[in-house]
Amino acid sequence: MPVENIAVGVEFYCQRLGFTVSSSDEGGARLSRDGAEVHLWATFDDDWRTRSNFVSMPICSGAESFIAGTASCRMETDSVDELYREMAAAAVLHPSDAGEGPADTEWGTREFAVVDLVGNLLTFFSGRVIEGD
């Protein structure tokens, strides 16, 4: 997940989302929780702001500052309802969340979404039995 500052990102993911640090330096971090792993990388490259010709000098570092907040991922969990309550208490649920708990989808999952400090989307889900299966 692209973040503007690794130290700030690590603090958010650990304190608000319950992850622990496996490894971290100023360029990136590897975090884990309940068997899931998330990688953060720093988006500090502002060189694109001063370029006048993107054809001869394309944007390609992978760490451009505009990338922070544009990523998403899905993580499967066995305890989606319990995790929802934890994330609601941490005030990290997606702004569109109505506070009614995880949603049952027509494609057979029960899920909810959270947003990190820069706007990256993390969706937590579990499978469910659909009547007729």
Side-chain angles (χ1 to χ4, degrees):
M1 304 300 272
V3 296
E4 297 165 330
N5 179 294
I6 293 299
V8 173
V10 165
E11 180 180 1
F12 179 88
Y13 274 75
C14 291
Q15 291 183 1
R16 303 283 295 279
L17 302 181
F19 283 84
T20 58
V21 180
S22 301
S23 64
S24 180
D25 61 30
E26 64 184 29
R30 195 176 81 208
L31 311 172
S32 61
R33 178 185 172 148
D34 303 326
E37 192 170 270
V38 171
H39 294 229
L40 305 180
W41 76 90
T43 57
F44 54 83
D45 184 354
D46 279 329
D47 288 347
W48 61 274
R49 292 181 188 273
T50 59
R51 293 187 188 169
S52 59
N53 187 340
F54 292 110
V55 174
S56 64
M57 294 179 63
I59 300 170
C60 60
S61 74
E64 292 82 13
S65 57
F66 61 80
I67 294 174
T70 65
S72 65
C73 68
R74 294 177 60 80
M75 290 185 242
E76 188 169 14
T77 178
D78 292 332
S79 54
V80 72
D81 290 284
E82 180 181 318
L83 188 59
Y84 177 88
R85 288 187 293 275
E86 180 185 333
M87 296 296 125
V92 294
L93 295 175
H94 189 278
S96 69
D97 190 284
E100 298 172 1
D104 292 332
T105 67
E106 62 187 54
W107 50 88
T109 62
R110 184 163 174 74
E111 59 187 58
F112 71 94
V114 305
V115 179
D116 76 6
L117 73 165
V118 295
N120 294 311
L121 178 71
L122 295 90
T123 302
F124 296 95
F125 73 95
S126 65
R128 63 181 180 85
V129 176
I130 299 175
E131 291 184 33
D133 283 354

